[in-house]
Each structure stands twice: as C-alpha cells, then as structure tokens.
Amino acid sequence: MKHIQYTDISYSELFDDFRNPNSGAVVLFSGEVRDNNKGRQVTHLEYEAYEPMADKMIEAILEEAKTRFGINHAVCVHRLGRVEISGCAVVVITGAGHRKEAYDANRYIIDRVKNEVPIWKHEFFTDGTSEWGQNCDCVTGDHEHEDHHHYEKAK
C-alpha cells in the first residue's frame, strides 16, 4: 500500500478494507486542517515530502507498531499538495483485540510519523504571508506534547 498521495483521503475506503475478525477495537485518527494556528488565520496548507523515503519510513513505523503493541492491522496515509480548511491531511487506523492496544498504537504511529518522516508543511495565512513549519508542532511550548515521547512497552 502506498502511504503518500496527492488525492483526497477516503476514510470509508480505508475503513472498509480494514475489517478483521480478531479486532474488537478499531481506532481512526484523522488530522484535519484547521483555520488557525498560534493566533493566526490560516487559508490552507501545502505538504511536500521526500516521497520514496517517507513511504518506506511510514511502512517501517507501521510494522514496528504491529509488533510492539500486538495489533492486528494498521494503516497510515498522508496527503501531499494543497489541503483546504477542514480537509484531511493524514489518517491512521489501528485494529487490535482490545481498545488499549489500538489507541496506544495509533498514538505511537501518528507521533512518529509527524516527528520523523520527511514531510514538510507550508502554512498560508489570510494576511498574505506563509511560512514553512515542521510537520509536527509538538516541539513548541504551546502544544500539549513535548519533542520527545515516552511509550510503555506493550504487554
């Protein structure tokens, strides 16, 4: 499966292909483009990536999450190009026998993708300016996360 695409991400198609009789819990995370960031009005985002590396890195993160958390299935798709307000930039879906593993694996995957994968975000503002930023705002003091994440070893 290709993890990087320039077209809209279809939640329903991803979810329909996701069914697994061993999964009692399925968690879907969607990263949506909001109309503001750090007090500034946003018009849209544009994403760029080093595609061959990004795709391989996402695949490796998914495989690691499957092993680490004992989940049945995981998928991650990140959008490139222009994404409008309320558009979907990234989706992560995880399935496991129980909800704890599905939630923990989902959080682990999105945090690693946003912090490590070579995908860059270009924000455009209503005042006509724009700025390149990190794909993850996790490294700023205004965000609930820190630039490092700790995960309990899956049981």
Side-chain angles (χ1 to χ4, degrees):
M1 168 180 210
K2 191 163 166 65
H3 304 290
I4 303 292
Q5 67 186 49
Y6 285 90
T7 57
D8 290 342
I9 298 171
S10 172
Y11 311 111
S12 60
E13 285 179 21
L14 290 172
F15 205 77
D16 284 348
D17 292 340
F18 202 80
R19 301 292 184 199
N20 182 309
N22 294 314
S23 292
V26 176
V27 174
L28 182 146
F29 168 80
S30 176
E32 307 284 309
V33 176
R34 63 184 178 275
D35 66 358
N36 66 85
N37 189 23
K38 299 177 188 169
R40 297 178 70 191
Q41 290 301 115
V42 175
T43 62
H44 68 281
L45 301 181
E46 291 182 8
Y47 288 94
E48 292 185 12
Y50 179 55
E51 293 178 53
M53 182 182 281
D55 203 59
K56 287 178 186 172
M57 288 178 75
I58 291 172
E59 183 62 32
I61 290 167
L62 293 172
E63 291 304 315
E64 184 179 331
K66 288 177 193 173
T67 301
R68 183 177 189 151
F69 296 96
I71 60 176
N72 299 320
H73 192 54
V75 65
C76 176
V77 177
H78 204 297
R79 174 89 186 272
L80 297 183
R82 184 179 175 124
V83 185
E84 301 296 337
I85 301 302
S86 298
C88 177
V90 60
V91 168
V92 176
I93 307 174
T94 50
H98 301 282
R99 68 182 172 269
K100 180 179 181 353
E101 291 81 5
Y103 274 111
D104 289 349
N106 198 291
R107 175 68 180 265
Y108 175 82
I109 292 165
I110 193 60
D111 284 350
R112 296 246 347 250
V113 167
K114 297 300 258 180
N115 278 297
E116 298 172 24
V117 176
I119 299 172
W120 302 280
K121 176 175 68 175
H122 194 181
E123 287 185 290
F124 293 82
F125 302 99
T126 56
D127 65 6
T129 63
S130 70
E131 64 183 50
W132 285 94
Q134 295 172 314
N135 197 19
C136 182
D137 288 334
C138 302
V139 295
T140 68
D142 333 339
H143 199 274
E144 66 185 37
H145 307 293
E146 308 228 353
D147 62 329
H148 59 281
H149 299 279
H150 300 282
Y151 299 95
E152 292 180 28
K153 182 163 175 62
K155 295 178 178 155

Coordinates of all heavy atoms in Angstrom, one line a residue, residues 47-93:
Y47 N 1.6 20.4 1.6 CA 2.6 19.5 2.1 C 3.5 19.0 1.0 O 3.0 18.7 -0.1 CB 1.9 18.2 2.7 CG 1.2 18.5 4.0 CD1 -0.2 18.8 4.0 CD2 1.8 18.4 5.2 CE1 -0.8 19.1 5.2 CE2 1.2 18.6 6.4 CZ -0.1 19.0 6.4 OH -0.8 19.2 7.6
E48 N 4.7 18.9 1.3 CA 5.7 18.3 0.4 C 6.5 17.2 1.2 O 6.5 17.2 2.4 CB 6.7 19.3 0.0 CG 6.2 20.4 -0.9 CD 7.2 21.4 -1.5 OE1 8.4 21.1 -1.3 OE2 6.8 22.4 -2.0
A49 N 7.0 16.3 0.5 CA 7.8 15.2 1.1 C 8.9 14.6 0.2 O 8.8 14.8 -1.0 CB 6.8 14.0 1.4
Y50 N 9.8 14.0 0.8 CA 10.8 13.2 0.1 C 10.1 11.8 0.0 O 10.2 11.0 0.9 CB 12.1 13.1 0.8 CG 13.1 12.3 0.0 CD1 13.4 12.5 -1.3 CD2 13.7 11.2 0.7 CE1 14.3 11.7 -2.0 CE2 14.6 10.4 0.0 CZ 14.9 10.6 -1.4 OH 15.8 9.8 -2.0
E51 N 9.3 11.6 -1.1 CA 8.3 10.6 -1.2 C 8.9 9.1 -1.0 O 8.3 8.4 -0.2 CB 7.5 10.7 -2.5 CG 6.7 11.9 -2.5 CD 5.9 12.1 -3.8 OE1 5.2 11.1 -4.2 OE2 6.0 13.2 -4.4
P52 N 9.9 8.8 -1.7 CA 10.4 7.4 -1.5 C 10.8 7.0 -0.1 O 10.4 6.0 0.4 CB 11.6 7.3 -2.5 CG 11.5 8.4 -3.4 CD 10.7 9.5 -2.7
M53 N 11.5 8.0 0.5 CA 11.9 7.8 1.9 C 10.7 7.8 2.9 O 10.5 7.0 3.8 CB 12.9 8.8 2.4 CG 13.4 8.5 3.8 SD 14.6 9.8 4.3 CE 16.0 9.1 3.5
A54 N 9.8 8.8 2.6 CA 8.6 8.9 3.5 C 7.7 7.6 3.5 O 7.3 7.1 4.5 CB 7.8 10.1 3.1
D55 N 7.5 7.1 2.3 CA 6.7 5.9 2.2 C 7.3 4.7 2.9 O 6.6 4.0 3.6 CB 6.5 5.6 0.7 CG 5.2 4.7 0.5 OD1 4.1 5.2 0.8 OD2 5.4 3.6 -0.1
K56 N 8.6 4.5 2.7 CA 9.3 3.4 3.4 C 9.3 3.6 4.9 O 9.2 2.6 5.7 CB 10.8 3.3 2.9 CG 10.9 2.8 1.5 CD 12.3 2.7 1.0 CE 12.3 2.3 -0.5 NZ 13.7 2.4 -1.0
M57 N 9.5 4.9 5.4 CA 9.5 5.1 6.8 C 8.2 4.8 7.4 O 8.1 4.3 8.5 CB 10.0 6.5 7.1 CG 11.5 6.7 6.8 SD 12.0 8.4 7.1 CE 12.0 8.5 8.9
I58 N 7.1 5.3 6.8 CA 5.8 5.0 7.3 C 5.5 3.5 7.4 O 5.0 3.0 8.4 CB 4.7 5.7 6.5 CG1 4.8 7.2 6.7 CG2 3.3 5.2 6.9 CD1 3.9 8.1 5.8
E59 N 5.9 2.8 6.4 CA 5.7 1.3 6.4 C 6.5 0.7 7.5 O 6.0 -0.2 8.2 CB 6.2 0.7 5.0 CG 6.0 -0.8 5.0 CD 4.6 -1.2 5.0 OE1 3.7 -0.5 4.6 OE2 4.3 -2.3 5.6
A60 N 7.7 1.1 7.8 CA 8.5 0.6 8.9 C 7.9 0.9 10.3 O 7.9 0.1 11.2 CB 9.9 1.1 8.8
I61 N 7.4 2.1 10.4 CA 6.7 2.5 11.6 C 5.5 1.7 11.9 O 5.2 1.2 13.0 CB 6.3 4.0 11.6 CG1 7.6 4.9 11.7 CG2 5.4 4.4 12.8 CD1 7.4 6.4 11.3
L62 N 4.7 1.4 10.8 CA 3.5 0.5 11.0 C 3.9 -0.9 11.4 O 3.3 -1.5 12.3 CB 2.7 0.5 9.7 CG 2.1 1.8 9.2 CD1 1.5 1.7 7.8 CD2 1.0 2.2 10.2
E63 N 4.9 -1.4 10.8 CA 5.4 -2.8 11.1 C 5.9 -2.8 12.6 O 5.6 -3.8 13.3 CB 6.4 -3.3 10.2 CG 5.9 -3.5 8.8 CD 4.7 -4.5 8.7 OE1 4.8 -5.6 9.4 OE2 3.7 -4.3 8.0
E64 N 6.6 -1.8 13.0 CA 7.1 -1.8 14.4 C 5.9 -1.7 15.3 O 5.9 -2.3 16.4 CB 8.0 -0.6 14.6 CG 8.6 -0.6 16.0 CD 9.6 0.6 16.2 OE1 10.2 1.1 15.2 OE2 9.7 1.0 17.4
A65 N 4.9 -0.9 15.0 CA 3.7 -0.7 15.9 C 3.0 -2.0 16.0 O 2.5 -2.4 17.1 CB 2.8 0.4 15.4
K66 N 2.9 -2.8 14.9 CA 2.2 -4.1 15.0 C 2.9 -5.0 16.0 O 2.2 -5.7 16.8 CB 2.1 -4.7 13.6 CG 1.2 -4.0 12.6 CD 1.3 -4.7 11.3 CE 0.6 -3.9 10.2 NZ 0.8 -4.4 8.8
T67 N 4.2 -5.1 15.9 CA 4.9 -5.9 16.8 C 4.9 -5.4 18.2 O 4.6 -6.1 19.2 CB 6.4 -6.0 16.3 OG1 6.4 -6.6 15.0 CG2 7.2 -6.9 17.2
R68 N 5.2 -4.1 18.4 CA 5.3 -3.5 19.7 C 4.0 -3.6 20.5 O 4.0 -3.8 21.7 CB 5.8 -2.1 19.6 CG 6.0 -1.4 20.9 CD 6.5 0.0 20.6 NE 6.9 0.6 21.9 CZ 7.9 1.5 22.0 NH1 8.5 1.9 21.0 NH2 8.2 2.0 23.2
F69 N 2.9 -3.4 19.9 CA 1.6 -3.3 20.6 C 0.7 -4.5 20.4 O -0.4 -4.6 20.9 CB 0.9 -2.0 20.2 CG 1.6 -0.8 20.6 CD1 2.4 -0.1 19.7 CD2 1.5 -0.2 21.9 CE1 3.1 1.0 20.1 CE2 2.2 0.9 22.3 CZ 3.0 1.5 21.3
G70 N 1.2 -5.4 19.5 CA 0.4 -6.6 19.3 C -0.9 -6.4 18.6 O -1.9 -7.1 18.9
I71 N -0.9 -5.4 17.7 CA -2.2 -5.1 17.0 C -2.3 -6.0 15.7 O -1.3 -6.5 15.2 CB -2.2 -3.6 16.6 CG1 -1.1 -3.2 15.7 CG2 -2.3 -2.8 17.9 CD1 -1.2 -1.7 15.3
N72 N -3.5 -6.1 15.2 CA -3.8 -6.9 14.1 C -3.5 -6.2 12.7 O -3.1 -6.9 11.8 CB -5.2 -7.4 14.1 CG -5.6 -8.2 15.3 OD1 -4.8 -9.0 15.7 ND2 -6.7 -8.0 15.9
H73 N -3.8 -4.9 12.7 CA -3.7 -4.2 11.5 C -3.4 -2.7 11.7 O -3.9 -2.2 12.7 CB -5.0 -4.4 10.7 CG -5.0 -4.0 9.3 ND1 -4.0 -4.4 8.4 CD2 -5.8 -3.1 8.6 CE1 -4.3 -3.9 7.2 NE2 -5.3 -3.1 7.3
A74 N -2.7 -2.1 10.8 CA -2.5 -0.6 10.9 C -2.3 -0.1 9.5 O -1.7 -0.7 8.6 CB -1.3 -0.3 11.8
V75 N -2.8 1.1 9.3 CA -2.7 1.8 8.1 C -2.4 3.3 8.4 O -2.9 3.8 9.4 CB -3.9 1.7 7.2 CG1 -5.1 2.3 7.7 CG2 -3.7 2.2 5.8
C76 N -1.6 3.9 7.5 CA -1.4 5.4 7.6 C -1.3 5.9 6.2 O -0.5 5.4 5.4 CB -0.1 5.7 8.4 SG 0.3 7.4 8.5
V77 N -2.0 7.0 5.9 CA -2.0 7.6 4.6 C -1.8 9.1 4.9 O -2.6 9.7 5.7 CB -3.2 7.4 3.8 CG1 -3.1 8.2 2.5 CG2 -3.4 5.9 3.5
H78 N -0.8 9.8 4.3 CA -0.6 11.2 4.4 C -0.8 11.9 3.1 O -0.3 11.4 2.1 CB 0.8 11.5 4.9 CG 1.0 12.8 5.6 ND1 0.7 14.0 5.0 CD2 1.3 13.1 6.9 CE1 0.9 15.0 5.9 NE2 1.2 14.5 7.0
R79 N -1.4 13.0 3.1 CA -1.7 13.7 1.9 C -0.6 14.7 1.6 O 0.0 15.3 2.5 CB -3.0 14.5 2.1 CG -3.5 15.5 1.1 CD -4.3 14.8 0.0 NE -4.6 15.7 -1.1 CZ -5.6 16.6 -1.1 NH1 -6.5 16.6 -0.1 NH2 -5.7 17.4 -2.1
L80 N -0.3 14.9 0.3 CA 0.6 15.9 -0.2 C -0.1 16.9 -1.1 O -1.2 16.6 -1.5 CB 1.8 15.2 -0.9 CG 2.7 14.3 -0.2 CD1 3.8 13.8 -1.1 CD2 3.2 14.9 1.1
G81 N 0.5 18.0 -1.3 CA -0.1 19.0 -2.1 C -1.0 19.9 -1.2 O -0.9 20.0 0.0
R82 N -1.9 20.6 -1.9 CA -2.7 21.6 -1.2 C -3.9 20.9 -0.5 O -4.6 20.1 -1.1 CB -3.3 22.6 -2.3 CG -4.2 23.7 -1.6 CD -4.7 24.6 -2.7 NE -5.6 25.6 -2.1 CZ -5.4 26.9 -2.3 NH1 -4.4 27.4 -2.9 NH2 -6.3 27.7 -1.7
V83 N -4.1 21.3 0.8 CA -5.2 20.8 1.6 C -5.9 21.9 2.1 O -5.4 22.8 2.8 CB -4.7 19.8 2.7 CG1 -5.9 19.2 3.4 CG2 -3.8 18.7 2.1
E84 N -7.2 22.0 1.8 CA -8.1 23.1 2.3 C -8.5 23.0 3.7 O -8.3 21.9 4.3 CB -9.3 23.2 1.4 CG -9.1 23.4 -0.1 CD -8.4 24.7 -0.5 OE1 -8.5 25.7 0.3 OE2 -7.8 24.7 -1.5
I85 N -9.0 24.1 4.3 CA -9.5 24.0 5.7 C -10.6 22.9 5.8 O -11.4 22.7 4.9 CB -10.1 25.4 6.1 CG1 -9.1 26.5 5.9 CG2 -10.8 25.4 7.4 CD1 -7.9 26.4 6.7
S86 N -10.5 22.2 6.9 CA -11.3 21.0 7.2 C -11.0 19.8 6.3 O -11.7 18.8 6.4 CB -12.8 21.4 7.1 OG -13.2 22.3 8.1
G87 N -10.0 19.9 5.5 CA -9.6 18.8 4.7 C -8.7 17.9 5.5 O -8.1 18.3 6.5
C88 N -8.6 16.6 5.1 CA -7.9 15.6 5.8 C -6.4 15.6 5.3 O -6.2 15.4 4.1 CB -8.5 14.3 5.6 SG -7.6 12.9 6.4
A89 N -5.5 15.8 6.2 CA -4.1 15.7 5.9 C -3.4 14.4 6.1 O -2.5 14.0 5.4 CB -3.3 16.8 6.7
V90 N -3.9 13.6 7.1 CA -3.4 12.3 7.5 C -4.4 11.5 8.2 O -5.2 12.0 8.9 CB -2.1 12.5 8.3 CG1 -2.4 13.2 9.6 CG2 -1.4 11.2 8.6
V91 N -4.4 10.2 7.9 CA -5.3 9.2 8.6 C -4.4 8.1 9.1 O -3.5 7.6 8.4 CB -6.3 8.7 7.7 CG1 -7.1 7.5 8.3 CG2 -7.3 9.8 7.3
V92 N -4.7 7.7 10.4 CA -4.1 6.5 10.9 C -5.3 5.6 11.5 O -6.1 6.1 12.2 CB -3.1 6.8 12.1 CG1 -2.6 5.5 12.7 CG2 -2.0 7.7 11.6
I93 N -5.3 4.4 11.1 CA -6.3 3.4 11.6 C -5.6 2.2 12.2 O -4.6 1.7 11.6 CB -7.3 3.0 10.5 CG1 -7.9 4.2 9.8 CG2 -8.4 2.1 11.2 CD1 -8.8 3.8 8.6

